[in-house]
Amino acid sequence: MNAEQKRTLAPLAGEWDKMEGFRRKKWLGIAQRYQTLSPDEQTRMQRRMTTWAKLTPDERKLARDQFKSLQKAPPEKKEAVKLKWQEYKELPEGEKARLKTEAVSRPTPRPAPSKTATAPVIAPEAGRQAIGAPSTTP
């Protein structure tokens, strides 16, 4: 990595040694294109890298999974997401701040349990009965 790439990727410095090789390669490719970006795009990229570096590994995985899910989504769903994003961008700054605060106060979604989980599976109708209570259905 040359000095210019180091400067560009500085927000990721704390994570660099922990990254898998293919992720490093991806970021190096981004750093290579950095100089061709407009100053606004460069600022946006730096801000996004800083935000990304602050995410926990679980939050990064969730973001990647959501991205992959959206890539596989039907065109109508993609368009709906674009429209929602456009609506958000047009909101006044105060409303955006309120929504961000609201989102931060919500619990972070947990990943789905693995398929090897040992928790018993309860049928929906069984879930309404007290455990150990006699069944009212034949």
Side-chain angles (χ1 to χ4, degrees):
M1 181 182 330
N2 64 37
E4 191 171 312
Q5 288 171 320
K6 280 185 181 181
R7 207 172 22 260
T8 300
L9 299 174
L12 303 172
E15 300 296 317
W16 192 258
D17 292 337
K18 300 172 201 160
M19 271 186 217
E20 296 113 336
F22 72 96
R23 295 208 193 283
R24 286 184 191 180
K25 190 173 181 178
K26 180 194 101 150
W27 283 113
L28 287 170
I30 290 170
Q32 207 167 358
R33 294 190 327 257
Y34 185 80
Q35 293 307 313
T36 65
L37 302 175
S38 71
D40 285 345
E41 290 171 319
Q42 289 179 355
T43 301
R44 182 172 159 234
M45 181 182 286
Q46 287 292 316
R47 190 174 56 247
R48 284 185 167 185
M49 276 192 278
T50 301
T51 301
W52 185 257
K54 290 178 182 177
L55 295 177
T56 66
D58 287 341
E59 290 169 330
R60 289 181 193 158
K61 182 178 180 339
L62 179 62
R64 286 186 193 107
D65 291 346
Q66 288 174 336
F67 178 80
K68 287 176 189 172
S69 173
L70 186 58
Q71 296 298 47
K72 295 176 184 175
E76 310 82 55
K77 168 105 173 152
K78 289 180 183 181
E79 189 60 31
V81 170
K82 280 184 187 177
L83 288 172
K84 283 272 198 196
W85 180 243
Q86 190 58 41
E87 289 173 14
Y88 173 80
K89 288 185 347 185
E90 292 171 3
L91 289 174
E93 289 304 316
E95 183 66 9
K96 287 180 186 177
R98 184 188 68 76
L99 290 170
K100 284 180 186 177
T101 302
E102 226 174 75
V104 168
S105 65
R106 272 189 245 137
T108 304
R110 301 229 175 226
S114 69
K115 292 183 181 189
T116 59
T118 58
V121 176
I122 301 173
E125 52 275 3
R128 286 185 225 120
Q129 299 175 0
I131 296 177
S135 174
T136 57
T137 55

